[in-house]
């Protein structure tokens, strides 16, 4: 079959992947020197790492369960071929390409570098808050069975029957590899995310082994790396972070939920709870569950497909970068839709406070608004910082 229409012409101009590819190409273009150091100059030509990362990004965005199925999709899906950068007649790669190149991408910390480039793009658009954050953790099931439990002191004897499916009995043995005291023991990792409260974007990630204090330890490490703004940084969280050690060691204003019952006293006093920002932080912190829900369902990290802490952490950071890109893309698409409604010319005006092109008509009317309407002045507000403006408008 011969066609005069290229894949570039087949993809609609309004397709969301067009805006996403523009952001991805900008981030990967800045990582080209890092890619050059990962591959030898005298070896055989390899698959371009930019194409590999675009293919992995499609796997995360479209919930493709395996890399073998991803190769099948790339073979006949023209949209995927266009996004990766393949022509219609280019031969498809072997599935072992990802296995052989994953160690190089892991060694070069490409996921962390790509995540930082995405954050820089969001920071240039004033999408990141430097004052208010939220931290939380979620369990990621490991690729192992329940019979893989082993004691840390190696005192347990091997099963007598042996074989592929030996008999293992854990009755009467105490287990401490659990997220909390009331939960069951699972072979899993613990993924941590630090979210800024303005737009709900991920600004830092960690992956540790599931333990009782892992969430608080990772939170202290991530908070220590936050740049901070002109005001004191605040940190929201659930009841698991309400401990005296965490509140004392955190170099921020803790706004975590109070854990109060008959045998325990909360480390958060009334000086924090009576502040109006405490209630706002408690309301905003629930958005971090949307991040974990997207990563575990859409990105497919509810149960990991990889073995080893380093590989699972690489995929967790890469999925967080994909979520941040999609969140920015959704924001840009909403701005594009808003420019097609009435008062479209005013949405191009930049707010002098937050430098965003997001002026929209204000629905709230005051007595001053009715008086200024006689002078053809209509109220507008900035969607980002909610500052009100008055501009001339000849429409009703």
């Amino acid at each position: 079959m011969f066609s005069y229409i290229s894949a570039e012409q087949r993809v609609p101009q309004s397709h969301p992947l067009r805006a996403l590819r523009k952001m991805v190409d900008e981030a990967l273009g800045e990582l080209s020197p890092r890619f050059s150091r990962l591959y030898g100059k005298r070896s055989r030509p390899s698959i371009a790492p930019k194409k590999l990362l675009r293919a992995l990004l499609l796997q995360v965005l479209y919930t493709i369960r395996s890399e073998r199925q991803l190769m099948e999709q790339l073979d006949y899906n023209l949209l995927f071929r266009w996004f990766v950068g393949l022509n219609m007649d280019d031969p498809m790669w072997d599935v072992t390409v990802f296995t052989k190149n994953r160690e190089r991408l892991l060694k070069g910390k490409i996921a962390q570098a790509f995540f930082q480039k995405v954050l820089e793009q969001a920071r240039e658009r004033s999408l990141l808050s430097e004052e208010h954050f939220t931290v939380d953790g979620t369990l990621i099931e490991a690729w192992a069975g329940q019979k893989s439990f082993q004691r840390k002191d190696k005192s347990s004897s091997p099963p007598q029957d042996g074989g592929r499916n030996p008999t293992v009995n854990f009755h009467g043995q105490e287990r401490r590899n659990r997220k909390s005291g009331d939960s069951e023991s699972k072979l899993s990792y613990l993924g941590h995310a630090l979210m800024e409260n303005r737009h709900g974007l991920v600004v830092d990630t960690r992956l540790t082994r599931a333990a009782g204090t892992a969430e608080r330890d990772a939170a202290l490490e991530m908070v220590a790396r936050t740049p901070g703004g002109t005001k004191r940084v605040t940190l929201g969280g659930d009841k698991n972070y309400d401990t005296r050690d965490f509140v004392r060691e955190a170099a921020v204003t803790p706004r975590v939920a109070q854990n109060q019952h008959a045998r325990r006293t909360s480390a958060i006093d009334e000086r924090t709870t009576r502040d109006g920002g405490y209630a706002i932080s408690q309301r905003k912190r629930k958005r971090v569950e949307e991040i974990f829900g997207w990563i575990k369902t859409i990105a497919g990290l509810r149960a990991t497909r990889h073995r080893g802490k380093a590989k699972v952490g690489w995929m967790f950071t890469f999925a967080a970068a994909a979520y941040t890109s999609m969140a920015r893309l959704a924001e840009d698409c909403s701005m594009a839709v808003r420019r097609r409604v009435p008062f479209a010319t005013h949405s191009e005006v930049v707010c002098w406070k937050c430098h965003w092109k997001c002026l929209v008509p204000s629905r709230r009317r005051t007595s001053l608004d009715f008086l200024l309407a006689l002078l053809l002045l209509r109220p507008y507000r900035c969607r980002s910082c909610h500052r009100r403006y008055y501009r001339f408008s000849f429409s009703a």
Side-chain angles (χ1 to χ4, degrees):
M1 185 183 70
F2 184 79
S3 176
Y4 290 97
I5 303 177
S6 62
E8 178 70 25
Q9 297 174 341
R10 292 181 182 273
V11 179
Q13 295 295 327
S14 59
H15 199 280
L17 283 184
R18 281 192 175 273
L20 182 61
R21 182 180 177 181
K22 182 179 180 181
M23 294 186 295
V24 172
D25 290 345
E26 181 180 351
L28 295 180
E30 298 177 0
L31 297 178
S32 297
R34 188 185 291 261
F35 293 145
S36 301
R37 294 192 295 266
L38 296 178
Y39 293 84
K41 298 181 179 179
R42 297 182 180 180
S43 58
R44 294 184 303 171
S46 179
I47 304 298
K50 295 181 180 180
K51 296 182 180 179
L52 292 176
L53 291 176
R54 292 197 197 102
L56 290 176
L57 190 61
L58 288 175
Q59 183 182 11
V60 171
L61 297 178
Y62 285 87
T63 321
I64 302 176
R65 65 176 182 267
S66 64
E67 294 166 355
R68 190 174 299 277
Q69 188 183 23
L70 176 62
M71 294 297 97
E72 181 183 350
Q73 291 278 349
L74 281 175
D75 194 16
Y76 59 78
N77 196 321
L78 295 181
L79 177 65
F80 286 6
R81 279 181 169 266
W82 167 83
F83 185 83
V84 173
L86 298 174
N87 295 325
M88 298 177 62
D89 299 332
D90 289 344
M92 204 57 256
W93 319 321
D94 190 81
V95 69
T96 57
V97 169
F98 294 96
T99 305
K100 296 179 180 179
N101 288 273
R102 184 175 289 111
E103 296 296 334
R104 294 177 178 177
L105 299 177
L106 181 63
K107 183 178 179 181
K109 298 181 179 180
I110 301 301
Q112 292 79 0
F114 178 70
F115 181 56
Q116 293 300 324
K117 295 301 180 181
V118 173
L119 288 181
E120 291 178 4
Q121 296 181 19
R123 189 173 288 108
E124 292 175 358
R125 302 290 298 274
S126 301
L127 289 176
L128 297 182
S129 172
E130 297 181 354
E131 299 172 0
H132 307 292
F133 299 91
T134 298
V135 66
D136 202 358
T138 185
L139 287 177
I140 300 177
E141 296 183 16
W143 190 11
Q146 294 295 323
K147 295 183 179 181
S148 301
F149 276 110
Q150 295 182 3
R151 297 181 60 89
K152 293 183 178 181
D153 53 6
K154 302 296 183 180
S155 60
S156 58
S157 58
Q160 298 179 358
D161 52 357
R164 296 180 56 184
N165 192 13
T167 302
V168 181
N169 186 5
F170 294 108
H171 290 286
Q173 300 183 19
E174 182 182 2
R175 301 187 190 180
R176 297 181 179 179
N177 51 345
R178 58 184 68 186
K179 185 178 180 182
S180 61
D182 299 332
S183 61
E184 69 277 10
S185 296
K186 289 184 177 181
L187 290 169
S188 53
Y189 300 96
L190 196 57
H192 314 271
L194 183 67
M195 179 194 73
E196 55 87 28
N197 291 351
R198 177 181 293 178
H199 292 91
L201 303 183
V202 188
V203 296
D204 202 353
T205 60
R206 289 290 186 279
L207 189 115
T208 61
R209 300 191 181 277
T213 62
E215 285 188 288
R216 295 188 289 272
D217 297 339
L220 292 175
E221 183 180 354
M222 290 188 293
V223 169
R225 296 183 54 183
T226 56
T230 57
K231 300 181 180 180
R232 185 173 176 82
V233 176
T234 63
L235 182 67
D238 54 18
K239 294 181 180 180
N240 188 36
Y241 300 93
D242 185 13
T243 60
R244 297 189 180 276
D245 295 337
F246 179 79
V247 173
R248 188 184 305 112
E249 295 178 9
V252 295
T253 302
R255 290 179 176 176
V256 299
Q258 290 183 301
N259 187 10
Q260 293 179 335
H261 50 79
R263 297 175 299 175
R264 193 180 186 281
T265 303
S266 175
I268 304 298
D269 53 14
E270 295 183 358
R271 293 177 299 177
T272 302
T273 58
R274 68 188 177 189
D275 187 10
Y278 179 80
I280 299 176
S281 296
Q282 287 300 303
R283 185 172 67 253
K284 290 286 188 178
R285 73 174 177 85
K286 299 177 182 179
R287 298 185 64 180
V288 73
E289 301 298 340
E290 301 176 6
I291 299 174
F292 292 145
W294 191 92
I295 291 178
K296 298 176 75 170
T297 56
I298 305 300
L301 287 184
R302 181 188 62 83
T304 178
R305 299 181 295 268
H306 305 283
R307 294 181 179 180
K309 178 182 173 182
K311 295 181 181 180
V312 178
W314 193 94
M315 288 302 303
F316 184 78
T317 302
F318 189 76
Y323 176 85
T324 304
S325 300
M326 290 300 296
R328 290 188 60 241
L329 177 61
E331 188 74 19
D332 294 341
C333 290
S334 63
M335 292 296 105
V337 172
R338 188 170 289 107
R339 292 190 184 101
R340 292 194 289 268
V341 301
F343 314 103
T345 57
H346 299 281
S347 60
E348 298 293 339
V349 180
V350 179
C351 176
W352 66 270
K353 183 178 180 181
C354 62
H355 307 289
W356 253 83
K357 297 179 180 180
C358 52
L359 291 187
V360 295
S362 177
R363 297 181 179 180
R364 185 168 62 91
R365 291 291 188 270
T366 62
S367 57
L368 179 61
D369 296 341
F370 290 103
L371 293 177
L372 295 178
L374 301 176
L375 301 177
L376 301 180
L377 290 174
R378 310 295 180 186
Y380 293 85
R381 66 176 180 86
C382 177
R383 188 176 179 273
S384 178
C385 64
H386 305 289
R387 185 178 181 84
R388 286 174 62 86
Y389 291 89
Y390 290 92
R391 299 189 57 82
F392 283 103
S393 178
F394 295 95
S395 57

